[in-house]
Amino acid sequence: MVKRGFTIGPQNFENLLAWLDSDRERAAEKYEKIRQRLTRMLVCRGCWEAEDLVDETIDRVARKVDEIRGDYIGDPAAYFGGVARHVYQEWLKKKPGMPPASPKPVKPEVAGPEYDCLEGCLDHLTQNNRALILGYYRDDKQAKIDHRRALAKQEGIEIEALRLRVHRIRKVVRECVIKCIEQKVTTNEWTG
Amino acid sequence: MNERNNDEGAIRQYLLGQLHEPEQIAIEDRLLTDDPYYQRLEMIEDELIDDYLAGTLSDPDHQAFSTHFLAAPERQNKLKFALAMHRSASAHPAPEMTSKDSAIELDPNPEPARIGDPARRSTSRTYAFASSPYFKIAAALIMVFGPGLLVWRVVFYQSDVDKALALMRQIHSNERLVDSRLSGLDYARRNETRGGENRMSPDLRVKRDVAERILLDAIREDPNPKDYHALGEFYLADRQISAAIPYLEGAVKAASANAQFHSDLGAALLEQGKVEKEQPVPSEFLPESSPGAETLSKSLAELNRALELNPNLLPALFNRALCKEAMGQNSEAREDWRNYIEKDRGSAWSAEAQQHLDSLEKHDSTSRDIERDVFQPNRQTVSGINRCA
């Protein structure tokens, strides 16, 4: 049901960007942000083809943008959300098969590419951030709660700020790992 | 604060697919338009994965996590990443925190690749620390608080291997996959069905993998009899008998005076011997003795050695009774069961020992009846013979 990639022309796309912001650079940023959040929204609904549904959503909005932009009041992102929900409902009726199986935990003796890349990415963190993220993952349950309280105290910040900080480090590391995996696949390091 | 908690609760429910449509839409509108809210949602998503790996999700949340949350490949990749993070955190010693450093950027001048080179990393840190002005303060603090730290380490400290063993106990707390009694596990009823591993929940499978990883890493980094024994026991509890035996043999070889190690090796050989007994072997390959007999004899030798070293080691006594039963030495097995029940009164293990004893006594009484019927002609037959004579 869902096609891959865009089918809209360059003019439609330019109109779409112009609706998001009169400054083209800022419009491109907003577009990326909307795209990312729509994907997240559909993933949260349990959709395993979120990227394709987002393409379809943007296609539909771009086609209608000339009609919308004059009358629509509010953040365009919310409009995209409404269209995405509609596309999602259509997908639900025709969704193909079952979702991909959950990953099997990686066998310890065969460390996966995530682990190899992770080691390298952690090494590129500053020492304090590296200590923070590893410490955050090290303990379980009560020990973890206690450890996090201690970390927050040591850093002189609230637990809430610590959570956000760890989240940001984790995000940086995850992006680094994704890039590393892509790079290694491109250079055939794993695929031979 | 309350508002934030309510938000977090709603976001968690949203991520697990537990909200009705109007509530979902309200959250989606915010995540599309509110930057801090979106960041919070991403953070809670990561924390939900951590909770899943830590086994702290409630049953309904766990179910929703497996069926809804993990449906998208993106989430599965995040789970893989989190598993890798846990592995990495377990593999590396706790690094020291330095000065406050709120920047999240990657270090622009990282040291050359240090993968697989923990020794070099810790050496460079040691030199840096020793040359720092904090060294003297740290040394003084150790002198003042050292004895307290020692007590803490002895009483409360849990090593990675201890954590892995705690996970193993948790995994096998409801049912055990082998008949024998392992020194590090509490009582759990025996799972009589085959394929226990396949029935294990995803949560327990993840925990099992985490524990296995920790134990393998521990052996790779610093091989010693305690860790060999821990990994061998882990495999045995998981019914990976052929994987368990070499590690348990390694532990016994390195620490031959440890009764517990002998007991667990005896248990592994007992399980192996029983498997061999059950496997159909083509007649041309049949050994002179019956299948499994040689392995069971080795098991018995290990269990006897364990009991020589410690006559009150209950797992060894329990396993020896099982071993003798498997070898068909019923009267000796009965003796061991009685001895066991006497030494471990009132426990669940003891109740199981009693069942074995009852079963053996019933079996022997049935055998005696059959023997009597076969070898002692009944009175009617005897009188008939007499009449004929």
Side-chain angles (χ1 to χ4, degrees):
Chain A
M1 155 272 175
V2 179
K3 56 191 175 292
R4 288 180 184 274
F6 293 122
T7 58
I8 51 170
Q11 191 52 50
N12 281 119
F13 192 66
E14 285 303 320
N15 292 346
L16 182 75
L17 290 181
W19 180 44
L20 296 180
D21 203 290
S22 54
D23 179 278
R24 202 180 183 286
E25 205 168 310
R26 276 211 301 269
E29 278 172 20
K30 284 185 180 174
Y31 168 81
E32 273 310 316
K33 200 190 267 188
I34 289 172
R35 191 179 170 81
Q36 189 188 31
R37 292 180 188 192
L38 287 175
T39 308
R40 173 85 45 178
M41 180 186 118
L42 293 170
V43 163
C44 290
R45 283 189 172 241
C47 173
W48 58 90
E49 294 181 313
E51 293 276 350
D52 293 339
L53 266 63
V54 171
D55 283 348
E56 175 67 18
T57 302
I58 293 171
D59 250 19
R60 290 190 191 182
V61 176
R63 283 178 207 291
K64 284 220 159 198
V65 74
D66 286 338
E67 298 168 35
I68 311 160
R69 60 198 292 188
D71 304 325
Y72 185 80
I73 300 166
D75 191 329
Y79 183 84
F80 277 90
V83 176
R85 278 190 284 270
H86 190 70
V87 172
Y88 171 73
Q89 291 301 331
E90 289 175 15
W91 177 81
L92 268 186
K93 285 177 198 158
K94 300 177 187 174
K95 68 178 171 184
M98 294 292 288
S102 300
K104 279 189 171 180
V106 186
K107 272 272 167 197
E109 56 270 55
V110 189
E114 293 84 5
Y115 185 72
D116 290 340
C117 281
L118 177 64
E119 289 289 292
C121 289
L122 287 173
D123 276 351
H124 285 70
L125 284 176
T126 57
Q127 193 179 336
N128 203 44
N129 285 335
R130 182 188 151 88
L132 189 62
I133 188 87
L134 288 176
Y136 205 79
Y137 272 98
R138 189 163 290 117
D139 304 307
D140 281 331
K141 295 183 182 173
Q142 189 55 44
K144 186 168 260 176
I145 296 165
D146 295 343
H147 186 71
R148 287 175 186 182
R149 278 201 195 111
L151 278 176
K153 200 174 173 189
Q154 187 177 336
E155 293 291 293
I157 52 177
E158 293 290 318
I159 287 272
E160 185 61 16
L162 178 77
R163 285 170 70 198
L164 278 171
R165 198 167 147 204
V166 167
H167 168 65
R168 285 200 289 270
I169 300 171
R170 183 161 36 197
K171 210 171 161 181
V172 166
V173 175
R174 194 158 48 216
E175 278 161 16
C176 171
V177 168
I178 290 168
K179 271 186 201 159
C180 165
I181 292 175
E182 282 170 359
Q183 207 175 354
K184 298 220 174 202
V185 169
T186 311
T187 55
N188 285 339
E189 207 165 303
W190 278 308
T191 53
Chain B
M1 184 59 128
N2 271 345
E3 197 183 332
R4 187 192 288 161
N5 288 343
N6 290 342
D7 261 3
E8 289 209 0
I11 290 172
R12 279 176 81 93
Q13 283 184 290
Y14 171 69
L15 292 168
L16 292 169
Q18 295 168 332
L19 292 182
H20 295 297
E21 186 70 12
E23 295 161 316
Q24 277 194 65
I25 292 173
I27 287 186
E28 286 169 353
D29 284 345
R30 277 191 78 182
L31 82 87
L32 284 166
T33 56
D34 182 341
D35 288 351
Y37 190 82
Y38 178 73
Q39 194 179 34
R40 179 175 295 279
L41 182 133
E42 279 190 314
M43 180 184 79
I44 294 169
E45 188 175 76
D46 285 338
E47 291 177 349
L48 208 47
I49 293 172
D50 290 344
D51 290 349
Y52 168 75
L53 288 175
T56 53
L57 293 181
S58 65
D59 284 348
D61 286 359
H62 186 275
Q63 177 71 15
F65 187 94
S66 304
T67 55
H68 177 88
F69 186 91
L70 283 181
E74 184 202 337
R75 294 268 179 69
Q76 296 177 13
N77 288 335
K78 280 190 168 185
L79 178 63
K80 279 192 204 169
F81 173 80
L83 273 168
M85 278 301 304
H86 275 279
R87 187 178 177 210
S88 192
S90 306
H92 294 288
E96 313 88 28
M97 301 281 282
T98 56
S99 58
K100 284 184 189 173
D101 174 14
S102 56
I104 309 298
E105 292 79 30
L106 298 175
D107 187 347
N109 297 307
E111 288 178 40
R114 294 174 294 185
I115 299 169
D117 191 9
R120 193 178 138 195
R121 190 176 304 158
S122 82
T123 309
S124 65
R125 278 195 196 135
T126 309
Y127 286 136
F129 183 59
S131 62
S132 79
Y134 299 113
F135 181 72
K136 285 179 185 171
I137 301 170
L141 285 173
I142 287 169
M143 286 179 74
V144 175
F145 294 111
L149 282 171
L150 186 67
V151 170
W152 170 82
R153 190 172 169 93
V154 170
V155 178
F156 300 111
Y157 176 75
Q158 212 185 13
S159 71
D160 283 345
V161 171
D162 293 336
K163 284 179 194 163
L165 290 176
L167 279 175
M168 177 187 80
R169 280 190 284 276
Q170 200 183 337
I171 292 163
H172 299 290
S173 60
N174 288 331
E175 56 182 23
R176 68 185 205 272
L177 301 178
V178 290
D179 289 327
S180 43
R181 178 173 175 181
L182 310 194
S183 57
L185 289 184
D186 292 332
Y187 180 80
R189 68 178 172 78
R190 172 77 171 98
N191 170 23
E192 299 295 344
T193 56
R194 302 269 171 173
E197 189 269 339
N198 292 333
R199 298 191 303 117
M200 202 180 267
S201 70
D203 173 43
L204 289 184
R205 281 203 291 269
V206 168
K207 282 183 180 166
R208 188 190 59 184
D209 271 26
V210 169
E212 188 182 17
R213 247 168 242 152
I214 293 171
L215 294 170
L216 283 166
D217 284 344
I219 284 178
R220 194 166 48 233
E221 281 164 22
D222 176 26
N224 63 71
K226 184 175 168 266
D227 294 352
Y228 265 74
H229 171 256
L231 185 60
E233 193 178 35
F234 169 86
Y235 281 135
L236 181 55
D238 205 35
R239 210 177 161 72
Q240 298 186 49
I241 303 165
S242 52
I245 290 173
Y247 287 107
L248 292 169
E249 282 175 339
V252 163
K253 206 171 167 184
S256 58
N258 189 312
Q260 207 177 314
F261 293 180
H262 283 284
S263 174
D264 285 336
L265 176 58
L269 292 166
L270 164 61
E271 297 296 334
Q272 178 65 28
K274 286 196 314 190
V275 170
E276 287 170 12
K277 258 178 91 174
E278 286 169 14
Q279 278 171 350
V281 182
S283 58
E284 62 267 33
F285 296 119
L286 273 178
E288 283 181 17
S289 56
S290 57
E294 197 182 329
T295 312
L296 288 172
S297 291
K298 285 183 191 168
S299 164
L300 187 58
E302 291 298 333
L303 295 166
N304 281 334
R305 179 72 187 129
L307 288 165
E308 276 168 32
L309 290 164
N310 180 358
N312 292 318
L313 190 65
L314 291 173
L317 197 52
F318 188 94
N319 294 335
R320 192 171 71 176
L322 274 179
C323 184
K324 286 178 177 170
E325 208 178 309
M327 293 173 90
Q329 300 176 1
N330 288 0
S331 93
E332 291 181 43
R334 281 201 307 273
E335 190 54 38
D336 268 355
W337 285 128
R338 284 193 199 102
N339 196 3
Y340 183 89
I341 293 162
E342 186 61 33
K343 289 190 175 187
D344 192 20
R345 285 194 177 280
S347 77
W349 289 107
S350 182
E352 203 171 296
Q354 185 64 53
Q355 284 172 10
H356 278 277
L357 183 59
D358 292 346
S359 163
L360 278 177
E361 282 177 344
K362 193 176 167 194
H363 174 265
D364 285 358
S365 134
T366 312
S367 300
R368 274 197 301 276
D369 288 347
I370 293 169
E371 203 175 304
R372 196 180 54 224
D373 288 348
V374 171
F375 295 108
Q376 294 181 1
N378 63 37
R379 273 184 200 161
Q380 220 172 8
T381 316
V382 172
S383 61
I385 292 170
N386 288 341
R387 271 201 302 276
C388 287

